[in-house]
Amino acid sequence: MLNRLLAPLFLLASLGAQAQGMVYRCPGPPVLYTDALSAKEANEKGCRTIEGTPITVLQAPRPRAGAGAAPAVPAAEGQRGADSRVDAVQQRVRDDERRRVLQTELRAAEERLSLAQKEFGNGQGERRGDERNYQKYLDRMAELKDNIARYEADVQALRREIAKLPS
């Protein structure tokens, strides 16, 4: 009789031990192998158990420190080493080319702004023949006003970029 009462307890205990030891393979870049999820979390994330599949864990070898050598420090993203520096002449050419491109873009943006302001006419732009409905005219004026604001922001941004370049 005692065995019949203890059997369900042993069964529950063994299921709990199995659940803790479950390893899940979760999809997505990068694929994640984890045992830190509950069954519910794993199901929500679309993870599958990998029962019976052997798992190999590799440890990275420790880098050897040479005598008197400085420890290798990984470069932060966006930083370059001393061997990848650009000489001053080449950098000057790059800066001049960038300035020329930005100035060309600035002239085009100023031209677009000027044309939009002329067409807008301080909110009193001329009605076109296809705008017999007054709402069409109002919609076009509102669009022109939005375009003017965008073109002014473009011009200001280009001027800031040009100002950042070395002289």
Side-chain angles (χ1 to χ4, degrees):
M1 173 137 166
L2 185 59
N3 286 342
R4 280 193 286 173
L5 293 175
L6 292 178
L9 290 176
F10 286 121
L11 180 63
L12 287 174
S14 66
L15 287 176
Q18 280 183 336
Q20 287 178 343
M22 285 289 180
V23 177
Y24 297 98
R25 181 182 188 272
C26 299
V31 175
L32 175 68
Y33 292 91
T34 182
D35 62 348
L37 296 175
S38 68
K40 182 180 177 185
E41 291 172 326
N43 190 24
E44 289 173 356
K45 293 183 179 186
C47 303
R48 298 185 322 228
T49 61
I50 53 172
E51 291 181 47
T53 307
I55 299 173
T56 305
V57 178
L58 301 175
Q59 290 184 347
R62 292 185 180 189
R64 295 181 184 169
V73 177
E77 194 172 316
Q79 289 182 343
R80 297 182 179 170
D83 58 338
S84 66
R85 292 196 180 180
V86 178
D87 66 340
V89 173
Q90 190 177 13
Q91 186 61 45
R92 180 75 174 167
V93 169
R94 288 181 183 179
D95 290 342
D96 290 344
E97 177 66 17
R98 180 165 178 179
R99 181 181 307 280
R100 186 184 62 75
V101 169
L102 287 173
Q103 286 175 340
T104 302
E105 288 181 21
L106 177 61
R107 282 192 294 276
E110 287 173 336
E111 180 69 23
R112 284 191 304 268
L113 176 60
S114 174
L115 289 174
Q117 287 174 334
K118 184 177 179 182
E119 187 176 351
F120 184 66
N122 290 329
Q124 303 299 320
E126 288 188 28
R127 284 181 71 173
R128 296 179 181 166
D130 64 339
E131 296 174 334
R132 295 182 187 188
N133 182 346
Y134 188 64
Q135 187 60 46
K136 283 186 177 182
Y137 168 77
L138 292 176
D139 291 345
R140 184 173 63 92
M141 288 293 113
E143 184 178 343
L144 280 171
K145 186 176 180 180
D146 291 343
N147 287 344
I148 289 170
R150 188 170 42 254
Y151 296 152
E152 286 173 343
D154 290 347
V155 167
Q156 291 171 359
L158 287 167
R159 286 183 179 156
R160 281 193 305 270
E161 283 299 313
I162 290 172
K164 288 180 187 177
L165 292 174
S167 298

